[in-house]
Amino acid sequence: MSSPSLCAATCSTSLRLPPPILRFRRPGALASVPAARSAPAVSDDLVLRIAEQLEDSVAASSPLLDPLRSASALSLLSTRWPTRRSNEAFRFTDISYLRSLPISLPSQAPALAAPSSPYPSYIHFSDGVLTSTSGVHVSALADLPPGPARDRAAAVLAASAEFADKDLFYDFNAIGAKDVAVVHVPEGVSMADDPVHIMFSYSGNGDGSMVMSNPRVLVLAEKGAEVAIVEEHFEVGQEDGGCYWANPVMEIILEEDAKVVHSYVQRQSFEAAHTKWTVIQQSKSSKYEFVEVSIGARLNRHNLHIQQLGPETDTQLSAFHFLSQDKQIHDLHSKLILDHPRGLSNQLHKCIASSTGNAIFDGNIKVNRYAQQTDAGQETRCLLLSPKALINVKPNLQIIADDVKCTHGAAISGEHDPNALYFFQARGIDVKTAADALNFAFGAHVINKIPFKPIEKNALAQFKELLASSRQE
Amino acid sequence: MAPPFAAAAAAAAVASSSSYALFSASADRPLLRHQMPPSSISVRPRRRTTAASAAAESTGRALLEARDLFACVKESGEEILTGLNLTIREGEVHALMGPNGSGKSTLMKVLAGHPEYEVTAGTVIFKGENLIDMEPEERSLAGIFMSFQAPVEIPGVNNYDFLLMALNARREKKGLPALGPLQIFPIVEEKVRALDMNADILNRAVNEGFSGGERKRNEILQLSVLGADLALLDEIDSGLDVDAIEDVAKVVNGMLAPHNSVMMITHYQRLLDLIKPSYVHIMEKGKIVKTGDRSLAYYVDESGYKDIATV
Ligand SMILES: Nc1ncnc2c1ncn2[C@@H]1O[C@H](COP(=O)(O)OP(=O)(O)OP(=O)(O)O)[C@@H](O)[C@H]1O
Ligand SMILES: [Mg+2]
């Protein structure tokens, strides 16, 4: 906590944290880390090994991240690697792929230039390293000049140290993030026409190890501000698919009356892992619209966490997951916590699982005592294209308030409506082509909600290609 | 596989709907109608003969022949068609009438290969081939088009893309290269205009949220874009307003040629005044109990179906 500029914003938080930053040592060396070991922590060799690696690599990171880093370092000391048996949040999700290969960290200087963006405002992370930013309200945390914007960002990051629902991936990111890309939209500013395009390109390093990266983004929409962000995670370079582990965190703060339109496309290589946190806080009368399209990665775990901070919020969530590969795992764990009156929310989850894919959806919506007159809808629809594909869905609405309107629906089917198929046939279109069209329509329904044409078109094209290739098998 | 869902198609349809408005100034359409009063809507002279003389002069080649056809609902085994006989020759227009539940729609669906039904006995020959052995899409490609009495909604499948897919399936069958979304636009646009449809309908999901009349017109749009040797039209007049029935009849009449035929189900005279049938069949309890000329339809209009078989 050496940075003086941090003090005003974060001292209440940072005081509670144990300075200085912990150093990780694996069991055996643990005796030399006396700090914060008052309770007998259950440490885990693998967790500590990764933490140690990450910590060694970020020696020169921004001091504004210290409170967050310290808190996460502390939790990691007592966090065990989650297993399906020991950890309810991973009950259906087999993350063993993450420990199947040695983990390496990205080199300091990524050689690749930023991929071109159709938009003037963009942020580029190359293998998790923040390499460039462009646009008025976009900056690296490290480059923010002292002033209110920087103080605000620091305060938010420090408060993130207190995030109660986090898991070890969140903590890994906290200690592994070197810098934070900050999108700060000041009060009343509307920049919704063109999005801030956040590009996460990954390549792996082709040496049989899994390159782990921990990019972090903070979006701050002040009172009445409007911003659109497009977040894309994709492969560059490697022909046959790079092996890497992307572990990003995206935090979005919506102040009163703010509006954030968030599109998120994950199309990484099928050798890659993607463990992601999206953490949203919505103040009074704010509106958050989210569209997720996840079609890549061998293992994909997305934690979407939305906390309502004031009344009359509007939350629109749509997600589409397509599992086209053998043993592919896609998991969406979402949690929406409503604590204030007259909130409106809609969640749509759709997925198609083919081959031996395993899709998981755990969608929790909590309508707490003071969230009266909430209108919350949740729907999940899954399509199983192969007898060996597996889907675990657990949509759950927990309603404590008594004056609410909540609707939910869940449907899993293995085939299309025969009347719809016949309609195609009656017009000369064979069943396979018809099923393709219906599968495509199923996913396009969500992809079409991406409000930016080039991004939408690209996602549609990739989905279509995967659909065609998965059919040939 | 056909590449049917190009995002470009949607874009084309959007782009087109504006250009469409340019040359469909509402002023020129009523004019067209005045030039062609309902009584002269038929574009070619139609034989007006009695059933007996029609049978005698039936020189056209048989297009479809059903013999002693029995069919049941697959799931329950309930028999719906009970020994039906029907011959449709090239260039003929047939009307199929009969009380509700007599099996008219079932007959059409059986001919079009609907999977809910099973043929248990009898034969159907279409253009010299055994129709019953053909898949539904093969029947369509062979030239049978059935317009549904109640067309289904296909959420997420763009109406324009659907037409493109269907058209390209036909081209593939003929060994022709697939067309792109922009190439079929002039064809589709012209048909949409002929049916006095709102071009916006092309850019919506197939039948999703369409009104009853819009669905019916959409069926006829598909017919006119795809063409057919034998069009089976199931109550295309129900749910249509008077002007729409005239538009639809005009399109159907415009498609009639010496080699293709129509069978239409209707409960009303009006359609038969516009598309003039050479034969009227009355169906009862799963078979055709009487065949005659248009005068039979007038009789039904006046006296209903009671004792019709013995008239
Ligand atoms: N899939 C089905 N399952 C069960 N019953 C069926 C099915 N299809 C047809 N039927 C029954 O077969 C009979 C004939 O139905 P169909 O729809 O062919 O009558 P229709 O002559 O077209 O009548 P309408 O004039 O009312 O349209 C009806 O009693 C109907 O209930
Ligand atoms: Mg009927």
Side-chain angles (χ1 to χ4, degrees):
Chain A
M1 315 302 106
S2 52
S3 168
S5 65
L6 183 67
C7 205
T10 65
C11 53
S12 64
T13 307
S14 53
L15 279 178
R16 269 176 267 153
L17 297 165
I21 294 176
L22 294 170
R23 300 296 303 176
F24 289 95
R25 289 298 172 261
R26 267 168 278 169
L30 271 176
S32 67
V33 188
R37 301 301 312 278
S38 46
V42 199
S43 61
D44 181 299
D45 188 51
L46 177 64
V47 174
L48 293 185
R49 202 164 58 217
I50 296 172
E52 204 174 298
Q53 246 177 306
L54 290 173
E55 191 161 74
D56 287 344
S57 77
V58 293
S61 71
S62 167
L64 300 184
L65 285 165
D66 286 351
L68 175 62
R69 197 188 311 281
S70 307
S72 283
L74 186 59
S75 342
L76 282 172
L77 281 176
S78 56
T79 301
R80 298 197 66 90
W81 186 264
T83 63
R84 298 175 66 168
R85 228 174 311 147
S86 66
N87 198 316
E88 180 61 26
F90 290 87
R91 190 166 143 210
F92 297 109
T93 315
D94 178 358
I95 58 165
S96 58
Y97 185 61
L98 292 175
R99 52 196 306 174
S100 65
L101 294 165
I103 287 163
S104 62
L105 296 171
S107 57
Q108 287 291 352
L112 291 155
S116 69
S117 169
Y119 304 105
S121 284
Y122 65 81
I123 293 167
H124 178 225
F125 286 93
S126 172
D127 278 319
V129 180
L130 180 55
T131 53
S132 57
T133 63
S134 152
V136 219
H137 303 296
V138 178
S139 169
L141 179 66
D143 298 340
L144 276 177
R150 183 180 142 117
D151 292 346
R152 192 63 220 283
V156 170
L157 287 163
S160 306
E162 311 282 289
F163 180 43
D165 287 331
K166 66 184 183 175
D167 65 3
L168 88 163
F169 299 127
Y170 186 93
D171 286 331
F172 281 153
N173 178 280
I175 63 165
K178 288 191 176 63
D179 200 353
V180 177
V182 180
V183 179
H184 184 170
V185 192
E187 182 171 338
V189 171
S190 170
M191 43 185 292
D193 295 341
D194 269 343
V196 177
H197 190 191
I198 311 177
M199 298 174 283
F200 299 79
S201 67
Y202 305 92
S203 59
N205 59 12
D207 65 356
S209 70
M210 197 182 253
V211 181
M212 186 193 190
S213 58
N214 295 281
R216 194 175 183 107
V217 178
L218 170 62
V219 177
L220 223 143
E222 286 190 358
K223 193 172 171 186
E226 280 187 32
V227 61
I229 50 177
V230 169
E231 177 188 359
E232 279 193 290
H233 298 264
F234 54 92
E235 172 82 12
V236 287
Q238 310 267 334
E239 261 305 298
D240 48 351
C243 182
Y244 45 87
W245 172 7
N247 186 45
V249 170
M250 165 84 68
E251 258 180 297
I252 302 177
I253 311 287
L254 294 93
E255 291 188 352
E256 207 174 309
D257 291 317
K259 180 178 177 186
V260 172
V261 175
H262 182 189
S263 310
Y264 161 56
V265 181
Q266 187 274 99
R267 45 186 179 86
Q268 294 182 179
S269 104
F270 296 121
E271 302 298 316
H274 184 82
T275 51
K276 163 89 195 300
W277 272 94
T278 307
V279 185
I280 318 294
Q281 292 181 34
Q282 279 192 264
S283 295
K284 184 184 171 203
S285 305
S286 63
K287 177 165 192 181
Y288 176 65
E289 283 178 18
F290 176 67
V291 182
E292 167 176 1
V293 179
S294 289
I295 57 179
R298 155 85 173 243
L299 170 66
N300 177 86
R301 159 77 171 216
H302 182 204
N303 290 290
L304 173 61
H305 190 280
I306 298 150
Q307 171 79 55
Q308 184 194 37
L309 301 177
E312 281 141 40
T313 55
D314 186 344
T315 311
Q316 303 293 328
L317 312 172
S318 310
F320 172 59
H321 289 249
F322 179 44
L323 293 90
S324 56
Q325 310 293 310
D326 235 14
K327 296 185 182 153
Q328 198 175 8
I329 298 171
H330 270 209
D331 175 0
L332 174 62
H333 260 66
S334 66
K335 188 166 182 174
L336 170 61
I337 306 157
L338 300 165
D339 281 320
H340 299 269
R342 298 178 299 280
L344 172 67
S345 78
N346 268 302
Q347 179 173 30
L348 171 66
H349 166 263
K350 285 181 121 182
C351 90
I352 300 181
S354 67
S355 191
T356 53
N358 182 191
I360 300 111
F361 171 56
D362 186 319
N364 178 241
I365 298 177
K366 268 195 161 142
V367 185
N368 285 330
R369 177 137 40 114
Y370 299 109
Q372 299 295 0
Q373 284 148 37
T374 290
D375 184 342
Q378 186 182 46
E379 190 188 349
T380 168
R381 291 181 57 199
C382 300
L383 203 54
L384 280 158
L385 296 187
S386 125
K388 286 187 188 144
L390 177 65
I391 289 176
N392 305 96
V393 291
K394 190 181 154 197
N396 59 99
L397 272 160
Q398 286 175 280
I399 305 164
I400 297 161
D402 47 22
D403 174 21
V404 297
K405 186 178 143 209
C406 293
T407 57
H408 61 99
I412 300 179
S413 54
E415 57 195 18
H416 292 289
D417 172 11
N419 284 311
L421 283 176
Y422 176 65
F423 194 80
F424 281 84
Q425 288 182 285
R427 300 299 176 250
I429 301 159
D430 65 85
V431 183
K432 275 194 159 178
T433 311
D436 263 359
L438 292 171
N439 291 337
F440 183 78
F442 186 89
H445 177 219
V446 170
I447 301 176
N448 289 147
K449 294 179 197 279
I450 296 177
F452 300 102
K453 266 279 170 265
I455 311 294
E456 178 203 3
K457 258 179 88 171
N458 198 6
L460 281 174
Q462 298 228 353
F463 167 46
K464 188 158 128 191
E465 198 176 300
L466 288 175
L467 205 52
S469 67
S470 74
R471 202 191 82 171
Q472 278 157 16
E473 279 153 20
Chain B
M1 117 187 201
F5 350 94
V14 176
S16 56
S17 54
S18 50
S19 65
Y20 170 73
L22 280 178
F23 46 89
S24 69
S26 51
D28 51 289
R29 208 166 303 111
L31 217 130
L32 258 176
R33 235 177 245 145
H34 289 303
Q35 290 169 338
M36 225 182 245
S39 60
S40 64
I41 261 175
S42 178
V43 294
R44 69 186 183 87
R46 190 149 302 289
R47 285 169 294 185
R48 291 172 201 220
T49 50
T50 63
S53 63
E57 67 157 300
S58 49
T59 48
R61 272 190 301 164
L63 188 59
L64 179 119
E65 268 193 294
R67 289 286 157 263
D68 301 318
L69 187 62
F70 287 78
C72 67
V73 178
K74 219 178 242 171
E75 207 175 76
S76 62
E78 185 195 344
E79 198 160 75
I80 315 273
L81 301 184
T82 56
L84 180 137
N85 288 288
L86 172 70
T87 302
I88 298 175
R89 290 168 199 282
E90 288 178 352
E92 291 176 349
V93 175
H94 292 239
L96 188 58
M97 303 184 79
N100 294 134
S102 56
K104 303 179 297 294
S105 294
T106 302
L107 170 62
M108 286 193 174
K109 288 194 258 184
V110 164
L111 294 178
H114 197 290
E116 265 171 26
Y117 306 97
E118 190 175 357
V119 171
T120 50
T123 56
V124 183
I125 306 295
F126 179 68
K127 292 185 179 173
E129 288 192 49
N130 181 355
L131 190 71
I132 293 164
D133 286 347
M134 291 159 75
E135 291 295 324
E137 65 270 25
E138 292 170 342
R139 301 180 196 208
S140 165
L141 296 175
I144 290 184
F145 181 100
M146 176 183 69
S147 77
F148 290 79
Q149 183 174 0
V152 294
E153 291 186 3
I154 322 241
V157 175
N158 179 281
N159 209 17
Y160 191 84
D161 292 351
F162 182 77
L163 282 172
L164 181 64
M165 284 173 83
L167 204 58
N168 278 333
R170 275 173 163 61
R171 290 179 62 87
E172 191 183 328
K173 158 100 176 177
K174 290 183 195 146
L176 296 168
L179 293 176
L182 292 172
Q183 288 169 290
I184 70 160
F185 183 69
I187 311 168
V188 175
E189 202 272 342
E190 182 206 321
K191 313 287 186 192
V192 165
R193 211 142 65 101
L195 285 162
D196 198 11
M197 291 169 79
N198 184 343
D200 289 348
I201 235 159
L202 292 172
N203 207 21
R204 284 165 57 183
V206 179
N207 294 328
E208 196 178 38
F210 285 23
S211 74
E214 283 170 341
R215 284 183 194 215
K216 292 287 159 115
R217 267 189 277 197
N218 202 37
E219 293 288 289
I220 301 304
L221 174 67
Q222 289 162 26
L223 169 64
S224 68
V225 170
L226 301 176
D229 295 327
L230 175 59
L232 305 171
L233 309 178
D234 194 348
E235 298 197 23
I236 49 171
D237 50 351
S238 73
L240 287 187
D241 60 47
V242 181
D243 290 345
I245 293 181
E246 285 182 15
D247 290 332
V248 162
K250 207 156 62 184
V251 168
V252 171
N253 282 322
M255 292 183 64
L256 283 169
H259 291 294
N260 50 30
S261 313
V262 169
M263 179 161 74
M264 55 188 166
I265 296 174
T266 182
H267 291 291
Y268 307 105
Q269 268 308 316
R270 180 180 290 275
L271 187 69
L272 303 184
D273 291 338
L274 297 172
I275 308 173
K276 297 186 177 66
S278 29
Y279 298 89
V280 174
H281 307 281
I282 308 297
M283 199 161 168
E284 241 167 47
K285 297 198 178 86
K287 58 175 111 180
I288 288 171
V289 294
K290 182 140 189 111
T291 296
D293 61 12
R294 279 182 67 203
S295 61
L296 192 55
Y298 293 123
Y299 176 89
V300 168
D301 216 24
E302 305 251 301
S303 323
Y305 293 110
K306 223 160 46 142
D307 304 324
I308 193 152
T310 58
V311 174

